[in-house]
């Protein structure tokens, strides 16, 4: 263990708090992270770290060159905020009405800038290269955030990649790890069921889109309950159901939106096919005319076993054995970090920020315990350091 890593993390804590609070007060939506990019570039310039800014969108790719040859280890932080009106009451609350860092990306950027500060301080001792990935557009699955960076080719020489996400479901100071399936693939669908509007007193003269849609919802639930193995991880949720214009008129149109979450690519294909087939059957039964738009989002996040073992060992050494929390079950939430792991070995890590009364992610009242900035930077810097601390780590 390198005690200097922990010491440097403490020294840069106030900087990380300042960066986090500034970003939190000035959140930017996916694909609009212009000012966040400027802050990152200014910090990297001050640290003397080489960077590229014309890679993809508002991405910034920093490079720390070690004093010796060795592997290239990448670390990623996402930058974007959510269209949520903040209600935390913090003195550094969002100054952008209706936009908020409700998913902790402000802290992710601050932690990676802290990691950059730490590793730049010890760069001459490193056997290899550190690639710092500041990524835009994680929140909007239909914008190619991680995928866009991968397709740019800028990470083609990376040997291993790590990333973290604050996670209120586990306590402050705990680190959530799991090899293999960790977070799910996320798809989205829009459905329109067209019937024929009629007077509510004469339903036989129309085709009630609400009744048809209600039957389709039941059929979707039956697909999950009766066609998929209970041991498979498949979730399908319909979150939007809009239909009708007046209490005494049978609706002529129903609009539904939902999401499917899977791990197995075959199950992903199966759900898309069955939703389409079930709508065709619905049309035959009710005489409706239905359409579905099924959009593929993030793929499943599948952690590399060796990278998880390395991270767990580092966390135990630097933060204490009781900080390691090996997760029994994966999450059905999604993360576009999966796009990196489809091509590069690595692992995604949960950084616990759960404390009494703290709402979940994507909530208008969500915040963090800022002590995790120090532990997060210590952990990630140590993970990289231990990979690049001697020639024996070379791949």
């Amino acid at each position: 263990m390198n005690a200097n890593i922990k010491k440097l993390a403490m020294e840069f804590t106030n900087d990380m708090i300042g960066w986090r609070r500034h970003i939190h007060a000035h959140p930017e939506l996916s694909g609009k992270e212009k000012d966040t990019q400027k802050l990152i570039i200014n910090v990297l310039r001050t640290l003397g770290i080489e960077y590229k800014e014309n890679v993809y969108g508002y991405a910034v790719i920093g490079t720390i060159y070690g004093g010796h040859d060795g592997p290239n280890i990448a670390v990623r932080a996402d930058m974007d905020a959510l269209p949520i009106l903040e209600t935390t009451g913090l003195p550094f609350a969002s100054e952008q009405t209706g936009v908020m860092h409700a998913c902790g990306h402000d802290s992710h950027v601050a932690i990676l800038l802290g990691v950059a500060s730490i590793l730049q301080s010890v760069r001459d001792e490193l056997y290899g290269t550190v690639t710092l990935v500041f990524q835009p557009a994680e929140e909007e699955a239909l914008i190619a955030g991680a995928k866009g960076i991968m397709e740019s080719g800028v990470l083609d020489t990376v040997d291993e990649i790590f990333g973290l996400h604050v996670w209120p479901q586990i306590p402050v100071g705990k680190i959530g790890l799991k090899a293999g399936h960790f977070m799910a693939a996320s798809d989205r669908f829009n459905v329109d069921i067209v019937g024929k509007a009629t007077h509510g007193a004469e339903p036989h003269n129309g085709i009630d889109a609400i009744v048809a849609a209600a039957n389709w919802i039941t059929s979707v639930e039956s697909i999950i309950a009766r066609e998929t193995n209970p041991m498979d991880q498949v979730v399908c949720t319909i979150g939007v159901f809009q239909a009708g214009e007046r209490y005494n008129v049978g609706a002529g149109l129903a609009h539904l939106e939902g999401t499917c979450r899977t791990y197995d690519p075959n199950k992903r294909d199966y759900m898309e096919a069955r939703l389409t087939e079930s709508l065709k059957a619905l049309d035959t039964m009710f005489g409706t005319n239905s359409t579905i738009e099924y959009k593929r989002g993030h793929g499943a996040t599948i952690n590399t076993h060796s990278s998880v073992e390395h991270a767990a060992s580092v966390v135990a050494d630097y933060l204490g054995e009781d900080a390691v929390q090996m997760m029994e079950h994966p999450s059905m939430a999604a993360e576009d970090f999966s796009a990196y792991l489809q091509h590069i070995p690595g692992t995604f890590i949960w950084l616990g920020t759960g404390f009494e009364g703290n709402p979940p992610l994507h909530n208008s009242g969500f915040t963090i315990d800022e002590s995790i900035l120090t532990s997060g930077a210590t952990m990630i810097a140590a993970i990289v350091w231990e990979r690049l601390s001697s020639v024996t780590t070379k791949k």
Side-chain angles (χ1 to χ4, degrees):
M1 184 180 77
N2 184 349
N4 196 32
I5 297 295
K6 297 180 73 173
K7 178 175 178 290
L8 287 167
M10 290 298 299
E11 290 180 3
F12 290 115
T13 292
N14 286 338
D15 290 326
M16 287 188 282
I17 290 173
W19 295 324
R20 182 254 168 168
R21 292 184 178 186
H22 179 85
I23 296 169
H24 189 91
H26 303 89
E28 295 171 301
L29 295 173
S30 302
K32 300 179 179 180
E33 305 92 339
K34 183 177 181 180
D35 289 337
T36 306
Q37 182 195 56
K38 287 181 180 179
L39 181 147
I40 292 166
I41 288 173
N42 287 337
V43 174
L44 295 183
R45 281 177 178 168
T46 300
L47 294 171
I49 294 175
E50 180 180 303
Y51 66 89
K52 297 178 182 179
E53 59 180 300
N54 298 312
V55 175
Y56 172 79
Y58 287 109
V60 182
I61 308 296
T63 306
I64 298 174
Y65 297 99
H68 313 273
D69 292 336
N72 186 341
I73 307 298
V75 184
R76 173 270 211 166
D78 37 13
M79 305 157 59
D80 50 334
L82 286 159
I84 293 175
L85 180 64
E86 181 165 358
T87 60
T88 63
L90 293 168
F92 50 90
S94 172
E95 297 177 11
Q96 180 70 25
T97 302
V99 182
M100 177 195 174
H101 272 292
C103 202
H105 296 188
D106 51 342
S107 54
H108 300 170
V109 173
I111 287 170
L112 187 51
L113 289 174
V115 170
S117 303
I118 294 167
L119 295 178
Q120 180 71 348
S121 299
V122 297
R123 64 188 181 281
D124 292 341
E125 304 170 39
L126 298 176
Y127 286 79
T129 304
V130 184
T131 299
L132 310 165
V133 182
F134 295 92
Q135 179 209 307
E138 188 277 330
E139 293 291 0
E140 179 48 69
L142 302 182
I143 299 178
K147 184 179 179 182
I149 290 176
M150 281 302 306
E151 291 177 347
S152 75
V154 73
L155 303 183
D156 285 353
T157 61
V158 169
D159 295 293
E160 192 172 23
I161 188 166
F162 295 88
L164 62 74
H165 202 297
V166 296
W167 208 250
Q169 285 91 335
I170 57 178
V172 171
K174 300 292 184 181
I175 306 299
L177 291 163
K178 186 182 184 301
H181 291 165
F182 196 53
M183 300 182 76
S186 171
D187 298 333
R188 179 176 178 176
F189 57 84
N190 297 328
V191 169
D192 285 318
I193 298 173
V194 180
K196 179 183 177 182
T198 186
H199 195 290
E202 301 175 341
H204 56 287
N205 290 329
I207 300 174
D208 195 325
I210 289 179
V211 172
N215 275 266
W216 185 68
I217 292 171
T218 301
S219 72
V220 171
E221 295 304 314
S222 295
I223 291 171
I224 300 296
R226 290 294 177 265
E227 295 184 21
T228 63
N229 189 322
M231 298 298 103
D232 290 335
Q233 288 134 345
V234 181
V235 171
C236 189
T237 297
I238 296 171
V240 172
F241 186 162
Q242 298 170 335
E245 297 179 358
R246 184 174 167 80
Y247 79 97
N248 64 345
V249 176
L253 172 66
H255 175 75
L256 303 95
E257 298 179 20
T259 182
C260 285
R261 306 297 174 104
T262 55
Y263 277 101
D264 184 340
N266 292 326
K267 291 299 180 186
R268 196 178 195 185
D269 294 340
Y270 182 81
M271 288 305 301
E272 180 176 1
R274 288 296 288 131
L275 293 183
T276 301
E277 292 166 358
S278 64
L279 281 170
K280 290 180 180 177
L282 186 83
D283 290 343
T284 298
M285 179 180 294
F286 286 92
T288 50
N289 180 21
S290 303
T291 59
I292 182 170
E293 181 182 24
Y294 195 96
K295 302 175 183 178
R296 296 287 179 108
H298 304 324
T301 301
I302 303 175
N303 286 336
T304 307
H305 285 250
S306 59
S307 298
V308 171
E309 291 172 359
H310 172 67
S313 175
V314 169
V315 171
D317 287 344
Y318 283 78
L319 301 181
E321 291 187 5
D322 61 344
V324 180
Q325 185 164 328
M326 302 305 294
M327 309 305 296
E328 182 179 1
H329 302 291
S331 170
M332 297 308 287
E335 215 335 305
D336 79 345
F337 193 81
S338 58
Y340 303 117
L341 294 178
Q342 290 170 9
H343 303 279
I344 307 170
T347 194
F348 198 57
I349 301 166
W350 290 337
L351 175 59
T353 188
F355 54 87
E356 185 176 356
N358 191 29
L361 298 173
H362 290 216
N363 185 284
S364 64
F366 175 75
T367 187
I368 66 163
D369 180 324
E370 289 182 327
S371 69
I372 69 169
L373 300 177
T374 308
S375 56
T378 299
M379 171 181 65
I380 296 298
I383 284 173
V384 176
W385 166 264
E386 295 295 338
R387 279 295 199 227
L388 304 181
S389 60
S390 72
V391 292
T392 60
T393 63
K394 291 173 65 177
K395 294 187 177 182

